[in-house]
Amino acid sequence: MNDDAPVLELLAQMTADSVEASSLDSQELMLVRIAALVAVGAPPVSYALNLEASGEAGLDAESIRGVLTAIAPIVGTARVAAATGNIVKALAAELAIEDLEVAELEADNEDQRA
């Protein structure tokens, strides 16, 4: 487990374990999880963890849009709109983290060359 983010690592492991324990295939399971996140009004970090697992399961953006469209009449447009915003925030945070990691790696490489 990573000492820098033990809670996030634990949540990621729980997600992976649920994929293995479920009778659903990994894509079905992740679609259900995305729907559940919308239903409970989950924060961006929850989407980040589950979108990563969804990508690993082979889901694409169209599948996620399909889930949002399918559940809108049940959970309401406000929940779907909030979920869409939280998904965008999660993706933006992931991109920012990747940018920081690249910048750190480039700085380390520059220090080694100096």
Side-chain angles (χ1 to χ4, degrees):
M1 186 173 294
N2 183 341
D3 289 337
D4 293 338
V7 174
L8 293 179
E9 291 292 325
L10 175 63
L11 294 174
Q13 186 60 51
M14 290 169 57
T15 297
D17 290 346
S18 73
V19 170
E20 291 180 27
S22 176
S23 63
L24 299 174
D25 70 37
S26 60
Q27 288 187 348
E28 292 170 333
L29 178 80
M30 295 316 302
L31 291 172
V32 170
R33 289 178 68 94
I34 297 297
L37 292 173
V38 176
V40 300
V45 68
S46 294
Y47 286 101
L49 292 170
N50 285 281
L51 290 173
E52 183 177 338
S54 294
E56 291 170 5
L59 290 178
D60 59 9
E62 187 59 35
S63 299
I64 304 300
R65 280 191 289 275
V67 166
L68 296 175
T69 302
I71 66 172
I74 305 300
V75 300
T77 57
R79 286 267 184 191
V80 171
T84 301
N86 286 337
I87 289 169
V88 169
K89 288 176 187 174
L91 294 173
E94 290 293 317
L95 290 174
I97 289 169
E98 286 179 22
D99 288 346
L100 286 174
E101 290 172 348
V102 167
E104 287 176 4
L105 183 59
E106 289 173 354
D108 288 344
N109 287 341
E110 188 66 32
D111 289 345
Q112 289 176 357
R113 283 185 246 156

